[in-house]
Every structure is written in structure tokens, then in C-alpha cells.
Amino acid sequence: MGERATVASTEFQNRTGLYIEKAAREPVFITRHRRPVRVLLDIAEYERLKANDTRRAYLIEELPDDLVQALHGVDLGHLDPALDRLLESDHEETGA
């Protein structure tokens, strides 16, 4: 993989148009104090990434039953007492 396009935030501010054009061809990584803080993407690439994002977030109380069942038997440690209670109550209800 080639070197990625990187620009300091002050340089980006001074030459925004140049980097907007460059982002049409490849992502442009914007840095502050030599650390990446933002990425400028072409809108088509952003839309493609959003369309492929299948991640979902749930409150523990709102976990769908199929996900609760999938968690049974998985060693999660003690991540959250509410999750422990949910899995225990579901286990008692199903008799599993």
C-alpha cells in the first residue's frame, strides 16, 4: 500500500481547495501535532462506507431476543451487572 495523503491542520486551512480536490481521489488525513485527527473523504466513498456499516447499539434492556440467545454460553466476564441480570432472567424464563 502506498503512502497516504497527510496534511497538517494549519496547511489544510491555508489550502483547503487543494485538499478537497485531492480527497476526490484518495482520503486525506488531517493531523494536529503530527497525530491524525480527521479524514477528508469523497462523498461517494463516505456513502459506500455508511451503506456497509451493519453495527448497531442497544440498551441492555432492549436487546433483541436472538442476540440474548446468542450471548448464552459466551464468557463475557462481568462487563455489566445489568447484562448479567438480563441473561440470568432470560435463562430462568426459558429453562435453558
Side-chain angles (χ1 to χ4, degrees), residues 63-90:
L63 276 173
D65 291 338
D66 60 324
L67 293 180
V68 172
Q69 290 301 318
L71 290 173
H72 281 289
V74 175
D75 182 13
L76 299 173
H78 292 286
L79 300 175
D80 188 307
L83 181 57
D84 289 341
R85 286 192 299 279
L86 175 69
L87 292 173
E88 287 171 7
S89 67
D90 187 66

Side-chain angles (χ1 to χ4, degrees), residues 7 12 51 53 60-61 83 86 92:
V7 61
F12 177 77
D53 186 2
I60 291 171
E61 304 81 35
L83 181 57
L86 175 69
E92 291 168 3

Side-chain angles (χ1 to χ4, degrees), residues 12 34 48 54 64 66 70 86 93:
F12 177 77
R34 298 188 193 130
R48 185 189 70 76
T54 60
D66 60 324
L86 175 69
E93 289 174 12

